[in-house]
């Protein structure tokens, strides 16, 4: 039968918030309640009778609570098939009553790991009885409804109210799907905890939250985002973020993380994941003006991010540009009011920094994974390889350019002066093309390259790039080094009084 009336319910939960209305309704509907430990105490505190699981198993809770429900009287009650003759004969012979509803959640394993707890405490948060109850009840969804998380309480209450204690097959199957999601997510978290040291060549990940997007990268592709975006960002205005919006927001947040507060206010303007403008300055308004100057054409319709509070002066400048998204850690009230004047403009409040240890993507018929590129060059790491040492200003400019270069698509060349991006050439099939593109852009937007610096994401296989850069006015170069012909580029720099430093770290980005 599709409809099943709940006559007996087993309730054993870690989280008891919002449980009382469900217990009270079940009691009102004449449901017999079974429970354990703290949950039994909670139910009885409501003045509602409850049978201890120990009374039906004949065994007490043992081994410090590690074994409470693992007994045929419990699992037989859940797994017996109501329309199966042999099952019912065996249930009658062994006096095993049917259980029609199981409400159980799991020990907070992930939260315990995240809290920095010790290994022994973490191990004790690996649920055994709960996960077994969840799987058993989900397997027998034909006859039993499984509620496997506190987040499902409201939905259960609605079902009990609308069905007067009766559930449908559709409802039970839906909750079974929830249950297997809960159990698989839980086991994945446990595996990944153990695999931190073992490093078995196995890829497992599980993300519990998700949302459907309007479409994917193009309108004919479906799209979805899996993750809890609200933990990172609060949307203050505008339409729903699209797939492409999210890709650019990710690029923007990763780039701005390179610029700590000691650098003052930073603005970056992103277009198709590459920076078309980046600048530091003493005020947010000045930093925005300098970032916009690098490429005001590409900034149209872009994603803008800052590590500074958006004040009214900055908002007034921003308001004259059409852009898709603005991301900031704070907004002054009058600035936010002005920026909200355009209803589709997406305004995001960044609530915390993003830190990623591992990155992965699907590739061929599998998944490729690697450690995130979390290395940022500092002055003490730079190795000067030329006769002329770089000046303090050149070092500052090169470190700034290297940060932008790290977050640009390869092959990439970045030109900077002080703490301002002048131009970049990104995603080119040759490094010479990237450099020539950057020089052409700088000239197009009226920049002089006299005294500017050049950053490259990878080594120069030939001296042609330093020669082209020198002839354009560039005086210092930062690059990883590592080419068998490094000496050719160094020799050119020495002959022409350029300074060059090597980092020993390549930053390819594909």
């Amino acid at each position: 039968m599709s409809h099943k009336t709940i006559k007996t319910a087993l309730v054993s939960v870690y989280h008891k918030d919002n449980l009382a209305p469900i217990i009270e309704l079940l009691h009102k509907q004449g449901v017999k309640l079974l429970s354990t430990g703290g949950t039994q105490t909670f139910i009885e505190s409501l003045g509602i009778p409850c049978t201890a699981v120990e009374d039906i198993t004949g065994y007490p809770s043992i081994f410090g609570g590690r074994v409470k429900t693992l007994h045929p009287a419990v699992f037989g009650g859940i797994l017996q098939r109501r329309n199966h003759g042999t099952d019912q004969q065996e249930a009658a012979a062994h006096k095993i009553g049917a259980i029609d509803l199981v409400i159980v959640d799991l020990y907070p394993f992930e939260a315990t790991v995240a809290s920095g707890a010790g290994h022994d405490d973490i191990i004790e948060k690996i649920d055994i009885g709960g996960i077994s109850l969840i799987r058993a009840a989900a397997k027998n969804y034909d006859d039993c409804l499984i509620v496997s998380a506190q987040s499902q309480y409201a939905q259960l209450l609605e079902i009990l109210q609308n069905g007067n204690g009766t559930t449908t097959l559709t409802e039970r199957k839906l909750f079974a799907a929830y249950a297997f999601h809960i159990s698989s997510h839980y086991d994945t978290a446990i595996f990944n905890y153990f695999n931190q040291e073992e490093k078995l060549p196995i890829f497992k990940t599980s993300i519990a939250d998700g949302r459907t997007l309007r479409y994917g990268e193009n309108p004919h592709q479906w799209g979805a985002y899996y993750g809890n975006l609200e933990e990172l960002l609060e949307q203050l205005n505008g339409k729903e973020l699209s797939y492409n919006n999210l890709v650019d927001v990710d690029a923007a947040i990763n780039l701005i993380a390179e610029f700590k507060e000691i650098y003052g206010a930073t603005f970056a303007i992103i277009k198709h994941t590459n920076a078309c403008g980046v600048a530091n300055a003493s005020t947010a308004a000045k930093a925005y003006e300098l970032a916009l100057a690098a490429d005001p054409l590409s900034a149209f319709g872009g994603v803008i991010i800052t590590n500074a509070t958006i004040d009214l002066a900055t908002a007034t400048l921003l308001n004259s540009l059409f852009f898709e998204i603005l991301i900031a850690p704070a907004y002054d009230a009058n600035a936010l009011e002005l920026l909200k004047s355009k209803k589709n403009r997406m305004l995001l409040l960044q609530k915390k920094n993003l830190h990623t240890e591992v990155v992965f993507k699907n590739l061929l018929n599998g998944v490729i994974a690697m450690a995130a590129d979390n290395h940022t060059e500092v002055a003490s790491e730079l190795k000067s390889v030329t006769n002329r040492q770089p000046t303090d200003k050149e070092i500052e400019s090169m470190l700034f350019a290297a940060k932008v270069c790290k977050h640009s698509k390869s092959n990439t060349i970045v030109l900077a002066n002080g703490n301002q991006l002048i131009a970049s050439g990104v995603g080119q099939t040759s490094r010479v093309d990237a450099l020539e593109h950057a020089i052409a852009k700088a000239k197009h937007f009226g920049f002089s390259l006299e005294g500017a610096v050049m950053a490259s994401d990878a080594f120069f296989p030939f001296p042609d790039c330093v020669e082209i850069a020198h002839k354009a006015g560039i005086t210092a170069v930062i690059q990883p080094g590592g080419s068998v012909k490094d000496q050719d580029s160094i020799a050119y720099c020495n002959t022409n009084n350029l300074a060059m430093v090597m980092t020993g770290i390549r930053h390819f980005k594909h």
Side-chain angles (χ1 to χ4, degrees):
M1 293 177 59
S2 172
H3 290 74
K4 300 285 184 178
T5 300
I6 298 171
K7 297 178 182 178
T8 302
L10 170 61
V11 186
S12 180
V13 297
Y14 188 89
H15 300 98
K16 300 173 182 64
D17 293 346
N18 303 317
L19 182 63
I22 293 171
I23 299 299
E24 290 166 349
L25 181 56
L26 288 170
H27 176 62
K28 182 179 178 181
Q29 293 173 342
V31 176
K32 178 182 178 180
L33 297 172
L34 311 176
S35 193
T36 62
T39 308
Q40 180 185 352
T41 302
F42 173 80
I43 293 172
E44 290 174 342
S45 74
L46 300 174
I48 294 172
C50 180
T51 300
V53 165
E54 292 93 327
D55 293 341
I56 66 169
T57 65
Y59 278 85
S61 174
I62 56 178
F63 308 131
R66 282 188 167 199
V67 179
K68 291 182 287 189
T69 58
L70 296 170
H71 192 280
V74 175
F75 283 85
I78 295 169
L79 286 164
Q80 61 177 266
R81 291 161 288 187
R82 314 305 194 258
N83 61 351
H84 193 283
T86 303
D87 279 15
Q88 292 306 297
Q89 291 171 11
E90 291 178 347
H94 295 287
K95 298 181 180 180
I96 299 175
I99 297 174
D100 312 298
L101 169 65
V102 174
I103 304 175
V104 63
D105 59 9
L106 300 172
Y107 293 153
F109 178 83
E110 288 180 281
T112 304
V113 173
S115 73
H119 180 72
D120 289 347
D121 290 336
I122 290 170
I123 294 303
E124 287 308 309
K125 289 299 185 290
I126 298 177
D127 209 310
I128 302 300
I131 201 80
S132 302
L133 290 168
I134 286 173
R135 291 180 64 85
K139 177 177 179 176
N140 197 27
Y141 70 87
D142 270 346
D143 300 303
C144 187
L145 178 69
I146 173 63
V147 177
S148 52
Q150 184 184 23
S151 59
Q152 300 161 20
Y153 287 178
Q155 196 172 355
L156 171 63
L157 188 62
E158 184 179 352
I159 287 172
L160 294 174
Q161 290 169 337
N162 294 341
N164 193 28
T166 298
T167 65
T168 68
L169 180 62
T170 299
E171 291 164 344
R172 295 192 299 275
K173 192 171 184 179
L174 174 63
F175 274 72
Y178 290 155
F180 285 119
H181 158 63
I182 292 290
S183 66
S184 64
H185 180 83
Y186 195 76
D187 285 340
T188 296
I190 295 170
F191 168 79
N192 285 330
Y193 171 75
F194 278 91
N195 205 42
Q196 292 178 106
E197 295 180 4
E198 298 298 330
K199 291 297 181 187
L200 300 174
I202 298 168
F203 178 82
K204 288 184 185 293
T205 190
S206 176
I207 300 174
D209 302 292
R211 63 166 72 177
T212 301
L213 304 175
R214 296 195 302 272
Y215 51 81
E217 195 165 12
N218 299 292
H220 66 281
Q221 298 169 274
W222 67 266
Y225 174 79
Y226 300 105
N228 187 355
L229 197 61
E230 287 71 26
E231 283 185 351
L232 179 65
L233 299 165
E234 178 183 351
Q235 186 160 354
L236 306 176
N237 190 67
K239 59 187 179 181
E240 180 185 344
L241 292 168
S242 70
Y243 180 100
N244 291 331
N245 291 152
L246 290 168
V247 171
D248 280 340
V249 167
D250 176 74
I253 288 176
N254 279 289
L255 173 59
I256 206 70
E258 298 286 347
F259 300 93
K260 310 303 182 187
E261 292 181 1
I262 57 171
Y263 292 96
T266 304
F267 259 88
I269 305 172
I270 305 296
K271 201 68 174 289
H272 296 294
T273 74
N274 292 303
C276 58
V278 187
N280 301 130
S282 57
T283 68
K286 184 62 175 176
Y288 169 67
E289 287 183 312
L290 291 173
L292 180 64
D295 189 349
L297 185 62
S298 295
F300 182 87
V303 172
I304 303 175
I305 190 166
T306 182
N307 59 8
T309 298
I310 300 293
D311 55 22
L312 184 59
T314 310
T316 301
L317 294 171
L318 285 160
N319 201 46
S320 64
L321 175 72
F322 169 72
F323 60 87
E324 288 272 341
I325 301 171
L326 175 63
I327 310 162
Y331 296 81
D332 287 345
N334 52 3
L336 187 59
E337 182 180 3
L338 174 62
L339 292 169
K340 281 184 172 182
S341 62
K342 296 182 179 177
K343 66 178 183 178
N344 287 331
R345 178 185 282 161
M346 290 165 272
L347 304 176
L348 303 179
L349 178 71
Q350 185 176 349
K351 296 191 283 189
K352 65 179 185 179
N353 292 327
L354 181 65
H355 182 76
T356 303
E357 291 291 340
V358 178
V359 293
F360 59 89
K361 64 180 179 179
N362 64 301
L363 190 74
L364 300 174
N365 60 344
V367 170
I368 192 167
M370 66 177 179
D373 185 0
N374 290 326
H375 184 83
T376 300
E377 283 74 30
V378 295
S380 60
E381 296 174 335
L382 304 183
K383 179 183 177 182
S384 180
V385 295
T386 49
N387 296 336
R388 184 174 78 78
Q389 302 296 301
T391 66
D392 289 345
K393 182 185 177 183
E394 286 173 333
I395 290 173
E396 179 185 31
S397 299
M398 287 190 291
L399 290 173
F400 173 88
K403 290 179 173 65
V404 180
C405 194
K406 172 184 168 183
H407 292 272
S408 301
K409 291 292 178 68
S410 301
N411 288 305
T412 185
I413 292 289
V414 169
L415 308 179
N417 198 340
N419 286 330
Q420 182 185 19
L421 171 65
I422 292 177
S424 62
V426 300
Q428 299 300 307
T429 53
S430 85
R431 205 155 298 282
V432 170
D433 286 347
L435 174 57
E436 290 180 338
H437 180 66
I439 292 171
K441 282 191 70 174
K443 291 180 178 178
H444 178 75
F445 291 111
F447 285 98
S448 169
L449 291 176
E450 295 297 327
V453 304
M454 172 175 70
S456 175
D457 60 334
F459 63 62
F460 299 113
F462 304 101
D464 45 8
C465 281
V466 290
E467 181 179 354
I468 295 168
H470 168 243
K471 290 178 178 178
I474 288 163
T475 59
V477 179
I478 181 170
Q479 59 131 328
S483 170
V484 294
K485 294 187 176 182
D486 275 346
Q487 194 57 45
D488 292 350
S489 294
I490 295 170
Y492 183 90
C493 289
N494 285 336
T495 301
N496 293 279
N497 200 36
L498 272 73
M500 178 183 285
V501 298
M502 292 184 179
T503 66
I505 301 290
R506 189 182 72 187
H507 291 293
F508 271 166
K509 189 170 188 290
H510 296 108

